[in-house]
């Protein structure tokens, strides 16, 4: 353990839905000798009892902090080339009426970014000062593109602390651990792999279960069956309503908020119906994927960090699909399926554009059927890409994916080479049976038991154990690098 950097952990939270879990996780960290400070995103993240000290620290210092250094100095220090690009993920996430091909707030060029760049300035200056005074710590946080997440990551690393990310795992009931925003799993970092007979049997069982279930990864959600979801939802809603009344003008604010949410829901439902109408029906979809040669591109939800952080150039997927459609071999079609949990998220203009250049498959068609009959799969970094590898299909990735580090995918770093890479992928014939087992093994090896946000004792204990073990290993490696070889 690197004692020079202390045993302090900073644990940012972005929503009160994980407040109880975070409190329990802090207690588990402290049992293992780590002092932990909770960092709520803003004043609207209401905290239950047990957070008084953290709340006072954040509300009294972070949220009211006035920057002392100019933003250009801070951007240069923390190697942020473009502040707008850096805050882009949070802008997209928070403006629910905005999306690719939509009109509205994006037409007021520049205005939407101003408050977010100011937040970036304040956050950089506050944590720069905090770490400079020796009050920082190692960062442990769930993956995301919010400004608080990204600033803490940059500042901690700059000052020699560890930054540990927790994220999605395709193994049900598990989570992943990684150390950068590219979501690079350690288990996919080594190109060579020798499976023991036991490893191969475990991977084979996992593979058979995946194929037999034919379920979409993540479709069942990430909530633990032990949680009282209704009770937690009521508690969170009550805290939100109290804070909304306190900060935003009482009942009128509640009414405006309700009308806004209801309007957005109606618009989403209408867009979902339009999406289905523009595409093929179920029968036509099954006929196409049975009788045609095609490349499959699964639409991704444009607001999630998989797109806004790890595939930012492809935020406008309607444009990408047009380009992809003219990069295919002459005898192949392009098949696109809407994101099943985000149907209606894209505006009509985007769906209309996509339908002009690709066959829009009905959302009820099982992705397993589309994958099995495809010649290849093109994805930004979707879990469909991982599923396709388990079927041995050639996968072309355009963004950073957790499964792209060991040579199983065809990665496109220069988009002008897309057509060439697609042809290369098709001609490769996909993965061998041995490689498929290796992918399954790497996923199992990089997954850890536990569900982030579930505050039950056993679950939190498992997560804390995995995280402190990983953090201790990282600190030991850092210590060894700092000490270096002894002089002769």
């Amino acid at each position: 353990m690197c004692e020079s950097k202390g045993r302090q952990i900073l644990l940012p939270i972005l929503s009160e839905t994980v407040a109880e879990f975070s409190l329990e996780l802090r207690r588990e960290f402290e049992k293992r000798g780590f002092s932990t400070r909770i960092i709520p995103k803003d004043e609207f993240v209401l905290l239950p009892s047990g957070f008084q000290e953290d709340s006072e620290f954040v509300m009294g210092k972070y949220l009211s902090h006035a920057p002392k250094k100019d933003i250009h100095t801070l951007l240069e220090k923390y190697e942020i080339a473009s502040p707008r690009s850096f805050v882009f993920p949070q802008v997209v996430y928070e403006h629910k009426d905005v999306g690719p091909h939509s009109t509205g707030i994006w037409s007021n060029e520049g205005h939407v970014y101003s408050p977010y760049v100011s937040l970036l300035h304040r956050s950089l200056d506050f944590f720069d000062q905090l770490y400079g005074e020796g009050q920082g710590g190692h960062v442990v946080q769930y993956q995301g593109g919010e400004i608080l997440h990204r600033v803490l990551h940059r500042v901690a690393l700059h000052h020699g602390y560890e930054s540990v990310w927790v994220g999605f795992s395709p193994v049900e009931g598990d989570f992943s651990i990684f150390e950068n925003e590219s979501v690079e799993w350690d288990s996919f970092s080594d190109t060579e792999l020798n499976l023991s007979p036991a490893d191969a049997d475990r991977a084979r069982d996992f593979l058979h279960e995946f194929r037999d279930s034919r379920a979409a990864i993540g479709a069942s959600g990430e909530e633990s069956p032990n949680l009282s979801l209704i009770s937690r939802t009521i508690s969170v809603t009550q805290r939100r309503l109290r804070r909304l009344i306190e900060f935003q003008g009482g009942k009128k604010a509640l009414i405006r908020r309700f009308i806004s949410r209801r309007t957005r829901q109606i618009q989403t439902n209408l867009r979902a119906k339009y999406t289905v109408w523009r595409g093929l029906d179920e029968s036509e979809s099954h006929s196409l994927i049975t009788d045609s040669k095609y490349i499959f591109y699964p639409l991704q939800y444009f607001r999630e960090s998989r797109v806004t952080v790890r595939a930012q150039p492809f935020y406008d997927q309607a444009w990408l699909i047009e380009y992809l459609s003219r990069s295919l071999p002459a005898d192949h079609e392009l098949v696109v399926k809407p994101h099943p949990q985000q149907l209606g998220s894209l505006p009509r203009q985007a769906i209309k554009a996509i339908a002009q250049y690709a066959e829009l498959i009905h959302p009820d068609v099982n992705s397993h059927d589309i994958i099995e009959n495809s010649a290849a799969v093109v994805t930004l970094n979707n879990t469909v890409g991982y599923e396709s590898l388990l079927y041995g299909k050639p996968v072309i990735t355009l963004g950073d994916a957790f499964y792209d580090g060991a040579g199983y995918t065809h990665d496109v770093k220069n988009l002008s080479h897309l057509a060439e890479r697609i042809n290369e992928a098709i001609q490769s014939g996909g993965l061998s049976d041995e490689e498929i087992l290796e992918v399954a093994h790497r996923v199992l090896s990089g997954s850890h038991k536990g569900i982030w946000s579930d505050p039950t004792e056993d679950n939190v204990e498992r997560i804390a154990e995995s995280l402190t073990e990983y953090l201790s290993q990282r600190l030991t490696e850092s210590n060894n690098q700092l000490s270096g070889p002894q002089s002769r």
Side-chain angles (χ1 to χ4, degrees), residues 43-336:
E43 67 270 24
F44 297 104
V45 179
L46 293 182
L47 306 174
S49 60
F51 282 92
Q52 288 86 351
E53 182 181 344
D54 305 82
S55 187
E56 289 172 5
F57 169 77
V58 175
M59 305 311 170
K61 296 182 179 179
Y62 171 51
L63 298 180
S64 61
H65 179 73
K68 297 177 178 58
K69 295 182 180 179
D70 68 87
I71 189 170
H72 303 290
T73 300
L74 292 164
L75 293 175
E76 183 177 358
K77 181 175 182 177
Y78 293 105
E79 300 180 348
I80 298 174
S82 170
R84 289 190 178 190
S85 179
F86 193 90
V87 304
F88 176 76
Q90 188 166 331
V91 173
V92 172
Y93 184 77
E94 292 188 354
H95 289 282
K96 300 299 185 184
D97 57 337
V98 175
H101 278 259
S102 66
T103 57
I105 197 164
W106 291 110
S107 62
N108 300 319
E109 185 177 354
H111 296 173
V112 69
Y113 286 102
S114 298
Y116 294 91
V117 173
S118 296
L119 174 59
L120 171 61
H121 186 190
R122 172 166 60 82
S123 300
L124 281 172
D125 192 83
F126 176 82
F127 289 110
D128 176 73
Q129 181 178 322
L130 184 76
Y131 277 81
E133 295 172 350
Q135 298 183 49
H138 310 292
V139 177
V140 175
Q141 57 187 344
Y142 198 82
Q143 67 185 49
E146 289 79 359
I147 294 168
L148 177 61
H149 275 329
R150 307 189 76 191
V151 165
L152 274 171
H153 174 70
R154 297 287 182 103
V155 176
L157 289 180
H158 180 88
H159 288 272
Y161 290 83
E162 296 298 325
S163 177
V164 179
W165 296 85
V166 174
F168 163 84
S169 166
V171 180
E172 187 175 359
D174 283 14
F175 68 97
S176 61
I177 304 176
F178 40 92
E179 58 187 79
N180 56 48
E181 289 182 303
S182 297
V183 192
E184 297 173 358
W185 285 24
D186 289 345
S187 60
F188 276 86
S189 62
D190 297 327
T191 55
E192 294 185 5
L193 182 69
N194 294 314
L195 268 69
S196 69
D199 289 336
D201 287 343
R202 183 173 176 235
R204 196 173 290 107
D205 290 342
F206 175 72
L207 180 62
H208 289 161
E209 183 179 351
F210 162 76
R211 290 181 177 178
D212 291 344
S213 69
R214 304 185 71 77
I217 292 175
S220 62
E222 297 183 0
E223 287 290 353
S224 165
N226 297 321
L227 293 176
S228 174
L229 183 58
I230 295 177
S231 175
R232 289 179 59 209
T233 301
I234 291 174
S235 175
V236 166
T237 301
Q238 287 174 338
R239 295 202 298 272
R240 284 177 175 170
L241 291 177
R242 288 198 302 271
R243 185 54 61 95
L244 191 63
I245 291 173
E246 179 182 349
F247 279 89
Q248 296 189 0
K251 293 182 179 179
K252 289 184 179 180
L254 291 178
I255 294 173
R256 287 196 300 270
R257 189 182 180 96
F258 172 79
I259 293 174
S260 175
R261 284 185 172 180
R262 182 58 180 161
T263 301
R264 285 201 301 269
Q265 186 59 55
I266 293 172
Q267 292 172 340
T268 298
N269 292 340
L270 290 173
R271 289 194 298 266
K273 291 179 180 179
Y274 177 76
T275 302
V276 174
W277 177 76
R278 285 299 309 223
L280 304 176
D281 63 27
E282 283 195 73
S283 176
E284 293 170 330
S285 298
H286 281 293
S287 295
L288 185 147
I289 65 175
T290 301
D291 302 330
S292 303
K293 295 170 69 175
Y294 61 88
I295 305 298
F296 176 35
Y297 177 82
L299 272 176
Q300 293 186 219
Y301 185 43
F302 64 89
R303 283 197 170 94
E304 62 186 2
S305 60
R306 285 176 183 161
V307 176
T308 59
V309 175
R310 304 197 295 279
Q312 195 173 107
F314 309 110
Y315 168 72
D316 186 347
Q317 292 177 78
W319 167 84
L320 173 61
I321 286 167
E322 186 277 327
Y323 185 81
L324 178 57
S325 72
R326 52 189 164 97
S327 303
L328 303 185
D331 55 347
H332 286 69
E333 295 187 64
L334 178 59
V335 163
V336 171

Side-chain angles (χ1 to χ4, degrees), residues 343-356:
L343 194 62
S345 62
L346 285 176
R348 287 167 57 101
Q349 296 96 317
I351 294 301
K352 182 179 179 181
I354 290 170
Q356 287 182 299

Side-chain angles (χ1 to χ4, degrees), residues 333-394:
E333 295 187 64
L334 178 59
V335 163
V336 171
K337 182 186 176 185
H339 191 298
Q341 278 80 51
Q342 300 296 341
L343 194 62
S345 62
L346 285 176
R348 287 167 57 101
Q349 296 96 317
I351 294 301
K352 182 179 179 181
I354 290 170
Q356 287 182 299
Y357 298 103
E359 295 291 352
L360 203 57
I361 295 294
H362 194 278
D364 288 342
V365 176
N366 194 307
S367 291
H368 289 250
D369 294 331
I370 308 175
I371 293 169
E372 281 188 283
N373 290 284
S374 68
V377 175
V378 178
T379 178
L380 303 184
N381 43 37
N382 200 297
T383 52
V384 171
Y386 154 77
E387 294 173 318
S388 302
L389 292 178
L390 293 188
Y391 278 104
K393 293 294 178 177

Side-chain angles (χ1 to χ4, degrees), residues 461-487:
E461 193 173 303
R462 283 194 297 269
I463 291 176
E465 185 64 30
S466 294
L467 286 171
T468 51
E469 180 180 339
Y470 183 88
L471 183 56
S472 297
Q473 179 182 343
R474 292 291 304 149
L475 290 170
T476 300
E477 292 172 358
S478 297
N479 255 348
N480 293 338
Q481 290 173 3
L482 286 174
S483 61
Q486 298 297 319
S487 58

